[in-house]
Amino acid sequence: MNEWITLTVNGVRRTVPYMAKESLLEILRDALDLTGAKEGCGYGACGSCTVVVNGEAVKACTLRGREKLEGIEVLTVEGLADPEGNLHPIQEAFLRAGAVQCGFCTPGFIMRLYALFKSKAGATEEEIRVALSGNLCRCTGYEAIWEAALLAQELLRGTPFVERRS
């Protein structure tokens, strides 16, 4: 028998069925059809499932348990673009820098940077490297991702940092 949990996703309060031990990633993908976060490893090593929960970057495949999920606020990559479809500056930076190849890891990197720059817009290069070290990519060799991170920080400096919700 399913229970129900309520959480806010991309600014919308949602009540969804919840089965014991279901992860946030499973809820996002299966119950809410938000497929930006990907399951790469299933145990928190790759970062492909990274979303922002209550302002912090979290690997959604590792967040389980009703007590950890009930009432949380989640921002996914789908929630970054504005209602007119304009990309968030971090998304724009990834496109401009050519940091999107297969795209599997891209949402996780974008959400990790979003959380970092939201909490510390003036993050140092070392802080950016440390933040990015929690995510893996098999295509880009990381140089394009690094360039996208630096470009994103520059774009954000020229743009008022406003959370965009769909």
Side-chain angles (χ1 to χ4, degrees), residues 79-106:
L80 290 183
D82 67 22
E84 290 79 39
N86 298 307
L87 297 179
H88 186 278
I90 299 172
Q91 293 170 308
E92 183 65 36
F94 268 70
L95 287 176
R96 286 192 202 176
V100 179
Q101 286 192 15
C102 82
F104 195 84
C105 66
T106 305

Side-chain angles (χ1 to χ4, degrees), residues 21-114:
K21 298 190 181 181
E22 193 172 23
S23 71
L24 175 59
L25 180 62
E26 292 167 314
I27 292 168
L28 293 172
R29 292 182 62 81
D30 300 339
L32 299 175
D33 201 31
L34 295 171
T35 58
K38 308 290 191 276
E39 182 172 357
C41 67
Y43 59 91
C46 74
S48 294
C49 65
T50 302
V51 296
V52 176
V53 175
N54 298 336
E56 301 289 327
V58 171
K59 294 173 182 175
C61 72
T62 65
L63 193 59
R64 296 175 187 277
R66 180 183 184 81
E67 68 284 350
K68 292 181 181 176
L69 297 170
E70 182 67 42
I72 63 174
E73 290 191 27
V74 181
L75 181 64
T76 70
V77 73
E78 292 92 345
L80 290 183
D82 67 22
E84 290 79 39
N86 298 307
L87 297 179
H88 186 278
I90 299 172
Q91 293 170 308
E92 183 65 36
F94 268 70
L95 287 176
R96 286 192 202 176
V100 179
Q101 286 192 15
C102 82
F104 195 84
C105 66
T106 305
F109 276 105
I110 289 171
M111 298 312 294
R112 172 117 6 233
L113 287 171
Y114 177 89

